[in-house]
Amino acid sequence: MRTGQQYKDSLKDNRCIYIGGERVQDVTTHPAFTGIIDTVAGLYDIAADPKNNMTYVTEDGTIANKIYMIPRSREDLQERREAITTWAEATCGFVGRSPDHVASFLASFAGASHVFERGGQRSQDNVVNFYKFARDNDLYVSYVIIPPQVDRSKAAHELDEKYVAMAVFEEREDGIVVRGSQMLGTGSAVSNYLFCSVISPLRPGDEDYAISFAVPMDAPGLKLYARPSYAQDKPSTFDYPLSTQFDESDSFVVFDDVFIPWEHVFVYKNIDLVRAQFHETPAHAVGNNQAQIRFATKLKFVIGVARKMAEMNGTDKFPQVQEKLGELASIASTVEGMMLASEYQCIQDEHGLVRPNPRFLYGIVGMQDTIYSSVIKILRELAGGGVLQGPSTYREIIHPETASDIAKYIRGGNVDSTQKIQLFKLAWDIVGSEFGGRHQQYEMFYNGAPFVVKGYSFRNYGYQEAVKLVERFLDSYQLPHDEERK
Ligand SMILES: Cc1cc2nc3c(=O)[nH]c(=O)nc-3n(C[C@H](O)[C@H](O)[C@H](O)COP(=O)(O)OP(=O)(O)OC[C@H]3O[C@@H](n4cnc5c(N)ncnc54)[C@H](O)[C@@H]3O)c2cc1C
């Protein structure tokens, strides 16, 4: 188990990140990244503290972070959930790609390494060895598994240039050289390794794009183009509590002839295996289980904000407000309940691996585009102009010329102005700041576009039971005989 400080030290390398027209010299001191780095370091400290019960004994007898557990029973899923919840609570559910996300994929790849045998013994060994390396060093791995958004009507090989999407440029005796680009590396700027592959369907002719591998963030030729920071230039954490601490950053990734040694290549020019790694192993289900545990925690947090806002404004006794709070409660409890149901009714495969029940897991996945926007709409409605009546910064609260006005006029029925402004600034960071807007985009797209996630629920519901119910009922009555018709 590594400490937060060890995590921070691990980021002091030669990684290449561009932001604001400049190359970042040291990610650990750059204001766009220090907030999230402190937060992730805090997560590592939490995991390293024995009282938080976040470690387990691995198959090799070592002690590791539970985020790397390979679930083999319902109890394992429960232990994982408790560990993931501990981290999610520390970030109020607002860090989507914390280290537990891709760790869930890697654990499932290794647990189901037989799937990789199709790519040869080397493929299978590489997956297991990299998993153990990541687990034993408690690494933060992020991923890019979507080709760049250029022309979605075309397959990767049909684009006007071959190396727009990430592809094999050269095969060498000691490894491969990769050229092209991929989106969208959430947390990549502050992670240790990048898992790279493609989850979008590939077509015949796309073989050069059908790869998966891991690469250290400081590999020569690996370039990250980070979007604008929402943490930088903010007056204080009091003013933007989420932006300043939880902006995990998203980066567009360019592979400028990046060399990947064979031992880090998991899938090589194999369209079938690229798909199978996600869906024939438990990886997609276990990775999304992490996402839903985090999401359930986030909804709980947002509802807490809504409830406190209503109390502060003295509106919580109005039946209309209680109806809105009740709607929020229904949404949050549905998500939490489905997440728990997927764990309770988990499925064990013939290799002893366990995955959350796909009906309930993908039931929520299929609604991810609408759930969060509905919650945000209600929060906006409850907040009214309160999220904008506060002063521009915390400074007006303490400045001698303004302090008395603020204290007198901007306050709640039951709290003083500082408490009221603090809560309403938090609410604005959820519904209205750039950070808040990005989160709406995130919840809508992190698992694929809305039409893609509906496809997951379509494929995973298991319609046989439903159809059988209908057929049994249809069989219970027939066309009437002639005599009966008379
Ligand atoms: C905040 C954020 C963080 C992300 N983090 C990560 C990450 O960490 N790692 C990672 O790999 N990816 C990440 N992603 C990328 C994410 O996986 C993609 O956004 C997602 O897969 C959708 O792809 P796209 O954005 O290219 O949208 P598109 O696929 O271009 O879809 C956009 C819209 O176009 C339409 N459309 C496109 N194709 C079709 C079609 N075939 N049929 C019908 N309609 C279509 C739909 O209306 C769709 O909603 C992130 C995205 C966001 C927004």
Side-chain angles (χ1 to χ4, degrees):
M1 300 295 292
R2 63 179 175 173
T3 61
Q5 189 55 50
Q6 285 169 327
Y7 157 69
K8 284 185 180 182
D9 294 343
S10 76
L11 302 178
K12 284 192 177 290
D13 55 21
N14 205 24
R15 64 189 58 209
C16 179
I17 307 167
Y18 291 98
I19 192 165
E22 286 174 1
R23 181 169 172 176
V24 174
Q25 293 308 315
D26 177 357
V27 74
T28 66
T29 55
H30 192 286
F33 306 105
T34 46
I36 185 67
I37 289 173
D38 283 345
T39 295
V40 174
L43 297 183
Y44 279 109
D45 283 335
I46 289 172
D49 185 342
K51 79 168 184 302
N52 293 316
N53 194 24
M54 278 195 64
T55 59
Y56 75 110
V57 180
T58 71
E59 289 80 355
D60 300 318
T62 53
I63 301 289
N65 193 329
K66 277 183 187 163
I67 66 169
Y68 277 107
M69 250 179 138
I70 300 174
R72 295 181 195 278
S73 64
R74 187 194 291 161
E75 289 70 32
D76 284 353
L77 280 181
Q78 182 182 334
E79 280 197 46
R80 248 177 58 87
R81 167 169 54 79
E82 285 165 1
I84 291 166
T85 303
T86 302
W87 269 11
E89 285 180 354
T91 59
C92 314
F94 278 89
V95 176
R97 296 292 194 233
S98 42
D100 42 349
H101 186 70
V102 178
S104 304
F105 281 75
L106 297 175
S108 302
F109 290 165
S113 68
H114 55 275
V115 172
F116 290 83
E117 215 179 345
R118 276 185 233 164
Q121 187 61 44
R122 184 171 64 186
S123 205
Q124 185 174 10
D125 292 346
N126 291 349
V127 159
V128 173
N129 292 338
F130 183 76
Y131 159 70
K132 290 187 176 184
F133 168 69
R135 178 196 70 189
D136 295 345
N137 290 286
D138 211 1
L139 293 183
Y140 182 177
V141 185
S142 59
Y143 67 13
V144 283
I145 53 173
I146 301 290
Q149 199 184 50
V150 177
D151 181 346
R152 291 285 186 239
S153 70
K154 293 195 167 100
H157 75 276
E158 292 169 349
L159 291 174
D160 53 356
E161 280 185 49
K162 176 162 184 187
Y163 297 104
V164 174
M166 176 190 80
V168 178
F169 174 67
E170 191 187 345
E171 181 180 325
R172 291 177 12 188
E173 208 171 299
D174 50 351
I176 58 174
V177 175
V178 174
R179 182 182 285 186
S181 65
Q182 204 75 333
M183 64 189 275
L184 182 65
T186 300
S188 302
V190 298
S191 66
N192 300 115
Y193 268 78
L194 189 60
F195 169 68
C196 310
S197 194
V198 196
I199 198 167
S200 327
L202 293 175
R203 301 187 211 158
D206 282 340
E207 284 73 12
D208 285 353
Y209 304 87
I211 48 179
S212 90
F213 59 88
V215 60
M217 292 313 307
D218 65 346
L222 188 70
K223 296 180 187 164
L224 267 59
Y225 289 91
R227 62 150 166 79
S229 160
Y230 311 141
Q232 207 170 348
D233 303 328
K234 293 288 184 283
S236 75
T237 293
F238 183 90
D239 289 287
Y240 290 91
L242 305 176
S243 307
T244 53
Q245 301 183 85
F246 304 144
D247 179 13
E248 55 197 319
S249 175
D250 306 289
S251 297
F252 186 78
V253 179
V254 169
F255 301 83
D256 200 352
D257 293 351
V258 180
F259 173 69
I260 315 292
W262 282 119
E263 59 264 31
H264 282 166
V265 179
F266 310 145
V267 179
Y268 185 62
K269 294 192 180 181
N270 188 330
I271 291 177
D272 165 58
L273 188 50
V274 152
R275 191 199 59 79
Q277 68 181 335
F278 293 114
H279 300 294
E280 289 183 36
T281 73
H284 197 260
V286 174
N288 275 291
N289 176 240
Q290 179 277 342
Q292 287 186 5
I293 297 166
R294 174 206 55 87
F295 189 48
T297 308
K298 180 183 194 176
L299 291 184
K300 211 177 267 180
F301 182 81
V302 172
I303 285 179
V305 171
R307 180 81 208 228
K308 274 184 84 68
M309 277 193 329
E311 277 168 19
M312 277 189 195
N313 278 353
T315 57
D316 57 328
K317 303 286 183 306
F318 295 140
Q320 300 87 336
V321 169
Q322 288 179 355
E323 187 196 331
K324 291 290 161 205
L325 290 171
E327 198 175 334
L328 287 177
S330 295
I331 295 172
S333 52
T334 301
V335 171
E336 185 180 1
M338 293 278 269
M339 180 268 287
L340 291 172
S342 74
E343 174 186 310
Y344 185 71
Q345 297 220 326
C346 57
I347 291 172
Q348 191 160 36
D349 67 20
E350 69 271 26
H351 301 279
L353 298 170
V354 152
R355 69 181 74 188
N357 188 297
R359 176 178 291 176
F360 305 118
L361 178 83
Y362 291 104
I364 287 297
V365 164
M367 287 166 66
Q368 72 186 35
D369 58 321
T370 48
I371 291 176
Y372 196 59
S373 7
S374 308
V375 165
I376 292 302
K377 181 174 173 289
I378 297 173
L379 196 63
R380 275 182 180 278
E381 191 176 337
L382 292 175
V387 282
L388 298 168
Q389 75 171 8
S392 68
T393 68
Y394 72 92
R395 295 186 189 98
E396 288 93 317
I397 301 176
I398 51 178
H399 193 284
E401 278 175 35
T402 52
S404 60
D405 280 345
I406 303 291
K408 179 173 176 190
Y409 299 116
I410 305 179
R411 59 189 169 84
N414 60 348
V415 294
D416 68 22
S417 65
T418 303
Q419 286 170 291
K420 165 113 185 200
I421 294 167
Q422 183 183 28
L423 184 74
F424 277 69
K425 278 183 180 289
L426 167 61
W428 182 246
D429 222 2
I430 297 172
V431 301
S433 69
E434 216 174 344
F435 175 92
R438 182 263 181 200
H439 264 264
Q440 290 179 53
Q441 203 71 4
Y442 181 79
E443 300 299 355
M444 188 179 263
F445 277 99
Y446 77 81
N447 199 11
F451 77 93
V452 173
V453 296
K454 298 280 189 292
Y456 287 133
S457 24
F458 172 73
R459 286 189 294 281
N460 287 286
Y461 179 75
Y463 288 95
Q464 306 88 318
E465 273 176 49
V467 168
K468 222 176 181 173
L469 267 183
V470 174
E471 287 175 350
R472 197 170 68 192
F473 181 65
L474 290 174
D475 284 348
S476 70
Y477 57 92
Q478 296 88 30
L479 190 68
H481 295 301
D482 272 355
E483 312 80 74
E484 286 173 273
R485 274 191 233 144
K486 285 178 211 149

